[in-house]
Structure formats: structure tokens, C-alpha cells
Amino acid sequence: MDYKTQKSDAEWQAALSPEAYRVLREKGTERPFTGEYNHFEEQGTYHCAGCDFPLFESTQKFNSGCGWPSFWGELESANIEQQSDHTHGMKRVELLCSNCGGHLGHIFNDGPPPSGKRYCINSVSLKFVPK
Ligand code: FE
């Protein structure tokens, strides 16, 4: 994939916290119920923590109880890429920032109506921009 924002591993490591690097660049997962935005209800926009690309609106956030910030929809479908992920013995769909390729989380089909989707996102992959 040719992403608009491209950095070497060393550049990403310098730009991100160790935890953000592990999640965004190494497809890690933050521990549930520990993320900054798990319980967070301010009004604004959630951007990619790697490249500042806008990804979600606070109006799309809901409390899923799963331990990670959850959204039922995304700002622009072109801004988030989906990829099938068969790691850890599961069949999942991974979500990536389509501007930098950063790992965001996964999408599941157990969200609220009308979309029925749950975008399960690592807090550390996000940067909140208040309205
Ligand atoms: Fe990004």
C-alpha cells in the first residue's frame, strides 16, 4: 500500500510514544479499560494519532462496555481501510488509517442499529480534537 504519510521505522519510533508505536506500527492492542478515550464523552473529532487524519466524530461514539472506545460509524469511509486479519486464531477485519497505514483496531458486526457495526479502536491510536 502506498500511503500518503510514509515514515521509516526509526522516524515512527521517534514520533510516537512506545505504546503508540507498538499499537499503530506493530498492530498491538492496548489493555482493555485502560485507554484514555474508553470513558470519554467530549464533543469533537477523533484523528489518527500517527498522522492527524480525521477518522471519527464524537457523535458516532457509543459505550459498548468492551473496554475500548467504540464507534458505530466513521467520518468518511475513504479514511479508514479494512483488511482481513487471521492472526491469533481468529477471523477478524482489521481497521487501518488510510493515510498512514497505522493500525487502529478491528470492526465487528455486534454494534447498535442502524449500522450494526462496532468499530473497536485503541485509544492510543487516536488523538481527540475538541469542537
Ligand atoms: Fe494515520
Side-chain angles (χ1 to χ4, degrees):
M1 242 306 176
D2 270 344
Y3 295 108
K4 253 193 207 148
T5 295
Q6 302 247 13
K7 290 185 204 283
S8 69
D9 269 346
E11 286 171 324
W12 281 120
Q13 254 169 334
L16 300 170
S17 70
E19 175 71 350
Y21 179 84
R22 187 181 73 82
V23 174
L24 280 164
R25 306 313 308 178
E26 300 184 321
K27 304 185 189 298
T29 301
E30 72 192 7
R31 281 172 45 231
F33 303 102
T34 63
E36 184 181 358
Y37 302 128
N38 184 36
H39 290 293
F40 186 85
E41 286 168 23
E42 306 281 308
Q43 294 302 299
T45 310
Y46 292 87
H47 291 217
C48 172
C51 72
D52 207 23
F53 207 44
L55 302 173
F56 301 100
E57 264 322 329
S58 56
T59 51
Q60 297 170 313
K61 196 172 187 288
F62 72 101
N63 186 6
S64 70
C66 73
W68 293 277
S70 300
F71 302 85
W72 50 260
E74 60 200 288
L75 200 54
E76 295 267 359
S77 58
N79 292 10
I80 297 180
E81 198 181 301
Q82 302 196 1
Q83 242 170 51
S84 63
D85 172 8
H86 292 173
T87 59
H88 303 290
M90 292 178 269
K91 249 192 179 172
R92 295 181 296 173
V93 177
E94 181 190 358
L95 299 173
L96 303 124
C97 169
S98 64
N99 189 61
C100 74
H103 172 78
L104 304 172
H106 292 87
I107 186 167
F108 301 96
N109 290 320
D110 57 9
S115 74
K117 300 289 181 193
R118 173 169 59 98
Y119 294 68
C120 182
I121 308 295
N122 292 281
S123 289
V124 79
S125 298
L126 298 172
K127 184 184 95 180
F128 179 74
V129 179
K131 212 175 217 168

